[in-house]
Amino acid sequence: MTNSAARSPHPVHGPGKGRRLVPPPGPRRVLAAAQLSNSVGDGAYYVTSALYFTHVVGLPAGRVGLGLTVAWGVGSLVGVPLGRLADRRGARGTAVLLALATAAAVASFLVVRGFLPFLVAACVYTSAQSGLAAARQALLAGLVPAGERTGLLAHLQSTLNAGLAVGAGLGGLALHAGTRGAYLAVFALDAVSFLLCAAVLLRLPPVPPAGTGHVRGPGVLRDRPYALVTLLNTVLLLRMPLLSLGVPLWITERTEAPAWLVSALFVLNTGAVMVFQVRMSRAVTGVASATRAIRRSGFVTLASCAVFALSAGAAPWVAAAVLVAGAILQVAAEMQQSAGSWQLAFDLAPAGRTGEYQGFFGTGVTVARTLGPLVLTALLVGWGTPGWLLLGGVTLAASYAMGPAARRAEERRVPGVGTVPSAGAGSGVRRGQAAGVRAG
């Protein structure tokens, strides 16, 4: 948490362990419950969807990949207008409607049997997911004071990982059964989880529309400093498929380590985020501390890449030990980069435009999911050790560039956007728009 207990009537970080892992009662805990409800279904979906679409729906693997790529591209485009809708029409109502739309899209997967229906359903699914993420951020901004948002996002990330782990276990049971009924049950579970998410979100108090009026033209795209920060964050997010694709391919293609280590490293990463993300986020309280955290994450990422590279050619158990060390460094860098980027995403957005700006910032995740597999495969499998070092070097360069980019975005007033520097370098509190509206 970014603020001390003395500055907040509801401190997230209390003296006991439970207080560190569970948000206090009120909107924070409701937001965490909503996150948990749909992440369980998502975890089951993620581990079974590829086989479901190929084995049950009967689509060729190439068409599944093409369809999902197109769908996530569409989702990234509509994230900004859906976020803008949340700002103008109310974040809670928009989030509830998009959760229901996601549930309907997942349910439609139960009946689609051709490529075109699959593509349409996938586009609805990704669009609703992208918009829901932006609307949730706008909802969080309207309910949680500015200085407390990064701490809560750390809690939500821990909750997300916990739900994904439970869901992945349920999906594993479906994979073990291997029957059509088991796959259908997983997709039904995911649809129900988003219905539950919508019901939980209704327990939150409504957030009034921002009332910023009509936004002309491309809106957030005119804010070039913020766009640069988003671009640099996208580069940092290219590591997202590392444990799901890059490291597994490295282990099987370039090392003598046992294949089961892939699962062990994934569990290590998930567990570390669940336990330590909140603690790692405490020091991030504003733009200055956020850029320092991101810069440190660049150094640690470079170190983790160098350690991963050392596993090539080593004896099986030596390689395994080296890979575990690299994974520990990698998750430490991941948690620092996440905390810093969350803070920047909120602090550099103008008051009343959180949904729109978060929708744009969230496109980095989509781009990373699309390009990350191509980049990591080429660098790690194709180039080997030089590829690891290049990946670490590019990450370090992007993390260093984030500092001046964020300072420029904080200081520069963009015509028509109303960005004003924060009240203090480490306060995380914005002065709002020129009209005097305070954020949070």
Side-chain angles (χ1 to χ4, degrees):
M1 179 48 95
T2 58
N3 285 1
S4 65
R7 295 175 62 186
S8 172
H10 301 292
V12 171
H13 299 294
K17 183 178 180 180
R19 296 283 289 179
R20 292 197 302 267
L21 298 179
V22 179
R28 296 168 178 82
R29 189 168 293 180
V30 175
L31 285 167
Q35 180 77 80
L36 180 64
S37 63
N38 74 261
S39 63
V40 172
D42 273 346
Y45 169 87
Y46 290 150
V47 300
T48 59
S49 58
L51 292 180
Y52 173 80
F53 292 132
T54 55
H55 293 178
V56 176
V57 179
L59 296 174
R63 288 213 162 189
V64 172
L66 173 63
L68 293 177
T69 299
V70 171
W72 280 112
V74 171
S76 67
L77 292 176
V78 303
V80 171
L82 288 176
R84 187 180 297 171
L85 178 67
D87 292 331
R88 297 180 61 191
R89 300 298 183 185
R92 188 188 70 167
T94 304
V96 169
L97 289 176
L98 290 171
L100 294 175
T102 307
V106 174
S108 69
F109 285 135
L110 296 170
V111 296
V112 298
R113 290 296 177 267
F115 177 71
L116 186 57
F118 160 73
L119 180 61
V120 172
C123 288
V124 174
Y125 172 79
T126 58
S127 298
Q129 282 274 50
S130 298
L132 177 59
R136 275 175 153 168
Q137 300 293 68
L139 191 57
L140 185 152
L143 296 173
V144 180
E148 301 180 7
R149 293 169 188 164
T150 296
L152 178 57
L153 283 167
H155 277 291
L156 296 181
Q157 184 69 16
S158 299
T159 303
L160 171 66
N161 275 30
L164 291 176
V166 173
L170 296 175
L173 295 177
L175 293 176
H176 178 71
T179 63
R180 174 187 174 87
Y183 285 114
L184 293 176
V186 165
F187 276 70
L189 170 66
D190 195 22
V192 171
S193 75
F194 278 97
L195 293 177
L196 180 59
C197 174
V200 173
L201 290 173
L202 283 173
R203 295 173 52 198
L204 291 168
V207 174
T212 55
H214 178 66
V215 179
R216 296 179 180 178
V220 64
L221 295 178
R222 296 165 58 200
D223 191 342
R224 293 181 181 178
Y226 193 90
L228 178 58
V229 169
T230 301
L231 175 62
L232 292 172
N233 188 65
T234 301
V235 174
L236 297 175
L237 289 176
L238 290 176
R239 49 83 183 161
M240 287 184 65
L242 194 62
L243 287 182
S244 61
L245 179 68
V247 170
L249 290 176
W250 174 259
I251 289 176
T252 56
E253 298 284 338
R254 295 277 190 159
T255 78
E256 300 297 326
W260 56 260
L261 191 63
V262 171
S263 177
L265 295 182
F266 185 84
V267 172
L268 170 66
N269 180 277
T270 303
V273 172
M274 288 171 55
V275 176
F276 296 111
Q277 180 69 77
V278 173
R279 185 177 302 174
M280 293 283 284
S281 302
R282 290 180 183 177
V284 179
T285 58
V287 172
S289 55
T291 55
R292 286 196 298 269
I294 291 174
R295 188 164 58 247
R296 286 194 300 269
S297 76
F299 276 110
V300 179
T301 297
L302 177 59
S304 72
C305 289
V307 171
F308 276 130
L310 292 175
S311 61
W317 293 108
V318 173
V322 171
L323 288 165
V324 169
I328 292 173
L329 291 171
Q330 187 274 327
V331 72
E334 174 186 331
M335 289 187 286
Q336 292 182 83
Q337 187 268 327
S338 295
S341 65
W342 295 332
Q343 188 76 32
L344 294 182
F346 277 111
D347 276 12
L348 300 179
R353 304 273 294 281
T354 303
E356 177 188 354
Y357 271 62
Q358 291 291 333
F360 180 68
F361 199 80
T363 60
V365 175
T366 304
V367 173
R369 284 175 174 170
T370 303
L371 298 182
L374 299 175
V375 172
L376 294 181
T377 301
L379 289 180
L380 307 186
V381 179
W383 289 19
T385 297
W388 276 113
L389 298 179
L390 179 58
L391 176 64
V394 169
T395 301
L396 179 61
S399 69
Y400 253 82
M402 186 66 83
R407 286 192 294 272
R408 183 179 177 223
E410 184 184 28
E411 294 169 357
R412 179 182 174 186
R413 180 187 296 273
V414 180
V417 174
T419 303
V420 177
S422 61
S427 68
V429 180
R430 295 182 53 81
R431 293 187 186 276
Q433 291 180 301
V437 180
R438 291 186 64 86

